[in-house]
Amino acid sequence: MNDPIVAPPAQGLYEPSSSHANLVYSAGMTARENGVLQYKGLIGGGVDMEEAKAAARIASKNAVDAIEASPEGHRTILRVVQTTVYLACIEGFESHSQIADAASEYLRERLGPQILGARAAIGVSSLPGGSPVEIQLTATVQTVVGERR
C-alpha cells in the first residue's frame, strides 16, 4: 500500500485546500520540500529558466498533494479546471508560458493526458518568501471515503 498523500503545511493562517461539492481549490503553493523553499529570487535575475521550471514542477506537486489529501479519505482529481501560475520575474521578462508549461507537463505526467484545463501565467514583482513561482489549482474531484493512498 502506498503512503497516504499529505498536504504541504500551511505557511500562514489558511488551509492548504478548500472544497465545495466536488470542486477543490488549492492554496497558492511554492516550491517547498519539507517546508524549505528550494529556489529564491527573481526569474531572469538570480533564477534561470531551468531553475524556474523545476520550481514550477515542485509547486505543482504541492498543489496536487493539497487537493488530493483529505481528512475523509482520498480525493482523485478528475479534471484540473484552472491552473494559475504566478511568476516573480525581472522587468521585461516575457517567457512566462515556457515556465507555466513545466507545471502543465508535471500535471499531465502525474494525472494523465486529458487532465488539463484553462491556465493563466502572471508575472509579478514578488511572491511570498522570495519564491520565484507560486501555483494555484482548481479541480473537480471524486472523494473515496475511508480510503487513503
Side-chain angles (χ1 to χ4, degrees):
M1 178 163 191
N2 295 338
D3 291 330
I5 293 174
V6 178
Q11 301 294 310
L13 298 175
Y14 62 89
E15 293 295 324
S17 68
S18 64
S19 64
H20 176 74
N22 72 333
L23 195 62
V24 181
Y25 300 84
S26 77
M29 294 289 166
T30 56
R32 291 182 185 275
E33 292 179 333
N34 300 315
V36 178
L37 191 62
Q38 299 299 299
Y39 300 93
K40 192 171 184 175
L42 296 177
I43 302 165
V47 177
D48 67 28
M49 288 293 288
E50 293 310 308
E51 291 170 321
K53 289 177 182 180
R57 290 181 64 84
I58 296 168
S60 295
K61 176 195 180 302
N62 289 339
V64 170
D65 287 351
I67 287 175
E68 288 188 342
S70 169
E72 299 87 36
H74 171 72
R75 291 183 186 132
T76 299
I77 295 176
L78 302 174
R79 174 120 175 129
V80 174
V81 178
Q82 173 73 39
T83 302
T84 305
V85 182
Y86 299 95
L87 305 166
C89 45
I90 62 169
E91 187 175 340
F93 183 80
E94 296 180 350
S95 298
H96 301 76
S97 291
Q98 291 176 28
I99 297 165
D101 281 346
S104 295
E105 288 166 4
Y106 175 83
L107 295 172
R108 258 196 337 215
E109 289 166 11
R110 179 166 172 181
L111 303 171
Q114 271 72 43
I115 205 75
L116 298 178
R119 184 183 80 195
I122 303 165
V124 298
S125 62
S126 68
L127 288 168
S131 178
V133 177
E134 183 173 344
I135 306 258
Q136 189 277 322
L137 298 178
T138 304
T140 58
V141 300
Q142 177 180 21
T143 302
V144 179
V145 177
E147 185 177 311
R148 292 177 160 252
R149 293 205 271 171

